[in-house]
Amino acid sequence: PLEIVVGARLNWTLDAAGNMTRRALEGLLGEMAEGLEARLTFRRGSANERRDVKELLDAVRPRVRSLSRTFAAQLEPAMSYLDADVAAILNPASHAGRGRAAEAEVRETIERVIEIDRSVTCAACGTRMWRLGSPEACSCKCGALRFPPLEARRPVRRSGRPT
């Protein structure tokens, strides 16, 4: 999704940039939901594969919070703004004739999507932080990006001895 959004930021009209950003955000949130095993309502057939941004945000945010409050706190400002951006900027850009967002608003939305993408993608190997392991303890392919972040992990007790 990051490449699509960067292209939107640089090359397209406002409506096209908003539409591509919405699609990239849906893809990113879909990956997060799958990788972190967020709860989504099952639907029969191809409808199960089509999720809107609001539904994905509503599933991903509590799942991240349940796994790591530290990481959730880092993502929350961007997630909160994106929640509002979907209704005010991205959806109108996707549906012609429903109003027009200002260029600055579209650019800020694009930057938030890039921020979330970078927070879940390893700069060293380019894989997502849930590539290896389970949602409770996972990492990118090279191990440089871990989830939950190391400083957020709780100490493990072994056989009654404090850690």
Side-chain angles (χ1 to χ4, degrees):
L2 184 60
E3 294 80 20
I4 294 171
V5 175
V6 170
R9 180 174 56 181
L10 300 175
N11 301 318
W12 297 330
T13 65
L14 284 178
D15 286 343
N19 191 36
M20 292 306 291
T21 301
R22 182 172 160 265
R23 289 179 52 202
L25 181 58
E26 285 172 352
L28 176 60
L29 291 171
E31 280 186 63
M32 290 178 76
E34 181 180 4
L36 300 175
E37 297 177 2
R39 288 183 167 234
L40 288 164
T41 304
F42 175 77
R43 299 178 186 150
R44 292 200 177 274
S46 63
N48 199 50
E49 297 299 317
R50 288 189 298 263
R51 308 284 179 171
D52 66 15
V53 174
K54 179 73 172 138
E55 181 181 11
L56 292 166
L57 271 170
D58 289 348
V60 168
R61 287 168 87 180
R63 180 60 174 160
V64 170
R65 197 175 311 115
S66 75
L67 294 169
S68 172
R69 290 198 181 275
T70 301
F71 189 70
Q74 292 170 1
L75 287 184
E76 191 52 36
M79 292 283 206
S80 291
Y81 277 112
L82 283 172
D83 206 5
D85 291 344
V86 168
I89 298 163
L90 299 181
N91 283 344
S94 297
H95 306 288
R98 287 188 144 185
R100 191 161 177 91
E103 182 177 348
E105 293 173 321
V106 174
R107 287 188 183 278
E108 288 171 3
T109 302
I110 290 169
E111 293 305 319
R112 285 189 264 280
V113 174
I114 291 170
E115 176 186 340
I116 291 172
D117 186 271
R118 286 185 179 148
S119 69
V120 299
T121 306
C122 178
C125 69
T127 61
R128 302 290 194 200
M129 65 184 182
W130 50 80
R131 174 81 157 82
L132 302 172
S134 69
E136 288 76 21
C138 54
S139 72
C140 64
K141 188 175 180 180
C142 74
L145 182 61
R146 296 174 184 264
F147 182 81
L150 289 175
E151 66 275 0
R153 293 189 183 173
R154 295 183 185 121
V156 177
R157 293 181 159 236
R158 297 180 192 189
S159 64
R161 290 182 283 174
T163 57

